[in-house]
Amino acid sequence: MNRRLIRQTLTIARRDFTATVFTPLFLLFLLSPLIMVLFGVLGGLGGANLARAGENKAVLIAIVPAAEGQALSAADAKLRRIFRRADAPPPLVIEAPRGNVPAQAQAAFDRGDKEVATVLTGPLEAPHILFTPAGTRTADYLTQLAETALGDMKAPVASSPVRIPVTRKAPSVAGRNQSAFLAVLGIFFLTLFLSGQAVGTMAEERSNKVIEILAAAVPLESVFLGKLLGMFGVAVLFVAFWGTLASQAGQFVPPTGPGRLLTDIAPAVGGPAFALLFAGYFAMAYMLLGAVFLSVGAQAQTMREIQMLSLPITITQMLMFGLASAAAADPGSATATIAEIFPLSSPFAMAARAANRPEIWPHLAALAWQALWVSLTIWVGASAFRRGVLKTGSGRKGLLALLGIGGATSAIDNNVN
């Protein structure tokens, strides 16, 4: 009896082992640690590229006459020897005074091509050091630099420099980079976290035959789009709830230390326009990814199939996040252009463009382009469901109705007949 029980137990164990191992899903399970590492590497590379882009454009500016400029350059070369490469201050740029020096210094902070956190003006004996909240460390360096230059020139010891905090009138390079990365990360996180609900919804209604009843009452494209809009409403409610809490929590973040990173955020299009564009691109990214998940859920029959089909989509989204992060770090490049045009990465990359560039008109074209792809994805998903599950005809009329031209087409057909 015991031998028979053992044999039956091993038979069940062998059956479950074979059913689990000899499936594509198990291969994805084996590769899941590698996938998680890939997620972390891509996210880290995106943030590192953005930080490196800001560091490469950072400079220190000294607005002094030529003789003092030469002394500062020599002192700068001497002092840099004590720094490790990673800890060295930004490069020093010498500019000759041009008329109104205070206005020239303010204009240096507002440059769009360089990240300027500290500017030295005035004679070295009584220098004025202007600095932003991010420039306290480099202000100390310029103070020491002025004293070293005076010592090399055998000049009298300088009086204490006048340190003047300033506020930028235009977004800085670092502020735009931070805005771009946070926009890409925010849209990616929200869409990945919220759009996965769409998979189980269609599969559940397919299993209990509700989808057939809905498809008999209204066009299948309307079913897909309606479900997508309903779930998007749930996502908006989720974002509004946590966004309200986050906005209130931001009041308790100190302006110094880590809180300074939040104060430096400054998108190129301006805060209100950036908020509207972020909402629009989040909507397009959610609708596009949600439409893909709906199509997957409509084709899958079991939860195992849903998981097997969903994971490649999630991996693709992670790759799109990496592409958009690279585009955010290098605006105007070929990589950025590809990311802005490719449908799956376009919402992320265009949100980063809103942070990096002030033009508005490209965003109108991008939103229309993304809406077109949402329509196409819904049509493809509905057509595949109609042919593969319902075993009915073409979805051409459903696409025309979804694009809003079905009425015109019907009128033309009636006139021809």
Side-chain angles (χ1 to χ4, degrees):
M1 183 66 178
N2 290 337
R3 298 177 62 181
R4 180 183 179 187
L5 179 62
I6 293 174
R7 186 171 62 254
Q8 292 172 340
T9 302
L10 293 177
T11 300
I12 298 298
R14 184 176 66 254
R15 173 184 175 276
D16 286 358
F17 178 83
T18 304
T20 302
V21 171
F22 294 101
T23 60
L25 182 61
F26 184 74
L27 178 61
L28 295 176
F29 171 74
L30 287 179
L31 297 178
S32 58
L34 180 61
I35 294 170
M36 297 305 296
V37 171
L38 177 64
F39 284 7
V41 168
L42 288 177
L45 286 178
N49 287 337
L50 287 170
R52 195 178 303 115
E55 292 175 358
N56 292 339
K57 296 180 179 180
V59 295
L60 303 177
I61 294 181
I63 305 176
V64 293
E68 294 183 348
Q70 293 177 359
L72 283 174
S73 297
D76 179 61
K78 181 190 301 183
L79 290 180
R80 285 182 183 274
R81 298 171 187 170
I82 66 176
F83 290 99
R84 292 181 299 181
R85 184 174 182 180
D87 298 329
L92 177 66
V93 176
I94 306 297
E95 293 186 1
R98 296 188 300 271
N100 189 342
V101 174
Q104 182 180 352
Q106 180 64 55
F109 287 107
D110 297 332
R111 292 176 59 171
D113 59 332
K114 295 293 183 181
E115 174 68 19
V116 181
T118 315
V119 176
L120 183 148
T121 65
L124 296 184
E125 293 80 6
H128 287 63
I129 298 179
L130 295 77
F131 64 98
T132 64
T136 53
R137 176 174 172 268
T138 50
D140 295 337
Y141 176 75
L142 285 182
T143 300
Q144 184 62 47
L145 191 63
E147 294 180 0
T148 303
L150 284 174
D152 294 341
M153 295 169 64
K154 303 297 191 291
V157 178
S159 60
S160 298
V162 179
R163 297 167 67 103
I164 306 173
V166 298
T167 303
R168 287 188 174 92
K169 297 179 181 179
S172 66
V173 174
R176 295 199 302 266
N177 285 344
Q178 291 171 13
S179 302
F181 181 70
L182 288 178
V184 173
L185 181 63
I187 293 178
F188 168 75
F189 174 77
L190 290 174
T191 53
L192 192 65
F193 180 72
L194 295 171
S195 60
Q197 317 171 52
V199 182
T201 302
M202 187 65 79
E204 180 182 353
E205 294 198 347
R206 177 185 171 183
S207 63
N208 57 26
K209 306 301 181 181
V210 173
I211 190 64
E212 283 83 352
I213 299 174
L214 294 175
V218 296
L220 198 55
E221 287 77 11
S222 297
V223 175
F224 274 65
L225 182 58
K227 287 184 171 296
L228 199 55
L229 290 175
M231 288 182 293
F232 179 67
V234 175
V236 169
L237 184 61
F238 175 90
V239 172
F241 174 77
W242 284 106
T244 302
L245 293 182
S247 64
Q248 299 303 313
Q251 299 178 1
F252 302 99
V253 177
T256 59
R260 180 179 57 78
L261 298 176
L262 299 178
T263 62
D264 287 345
I265 294 175
V269 297
F274 182 73
L276 290 176
L277 289 174
F278 181 88
Y281 288 128
F282 164 65
M284 289 297 105
Y286 181 92
M287 298 287 278
L288 184 58
L289 187 59
V292 173
F293 275 126
L294 269 180
S295 302
V296 168
Q299 296 298 319
Q301 296 183 358
T302 64
M303 286 303 299
R304 178 173 294 181
E305 291 183 1
I306 290 175
Q307 294 171 356
M308 184 178 65
L309 294 172
S310 300
L311 190 54
I313 298 175
T314 303
I315 296 173
T316 301
Q317 283 301 110
M318 191 64 204
L319 295 176
M320 295 303 100
F321 169 71
L323 178 61
S325 298
D330 193 11
S333 63
T335 301
T337 302
I338 293 173
E340 291 165 3
I341 294 176
F342 190 70
L344 290 177
S345 61
S346 181
F348 309 101
M350 289 304 298
R353 182 189 176 103
N356 282 321
R357 294 191 167 190
E359 302 89 358
I360 294 296
W361 70 264
H363 300 286
L364 303 179
L367 289 170
W369 170 250
Q370 294 159 20
L372 173 64
W373 277 96
V374 171
S375 300
L376 290 174
T377 305
I378 293 175
W379 172 68
V380 169
S383 299
F385 185 80
R386 183 181 289 111
R387 293 176 181 275
V389 179
L390 300 183
K391 309 296 184 183
T392 57
S394 171
R396 175 176 175 273
K397 293 183 179 180
L399 174 63
L400 296 177
L402 190 63
L403 295 176
I405 57 178
T409 306
S410 300
I412 293 174
D413 292 341
N414 292 335
N415 290 336
V416 172
N417 293 332

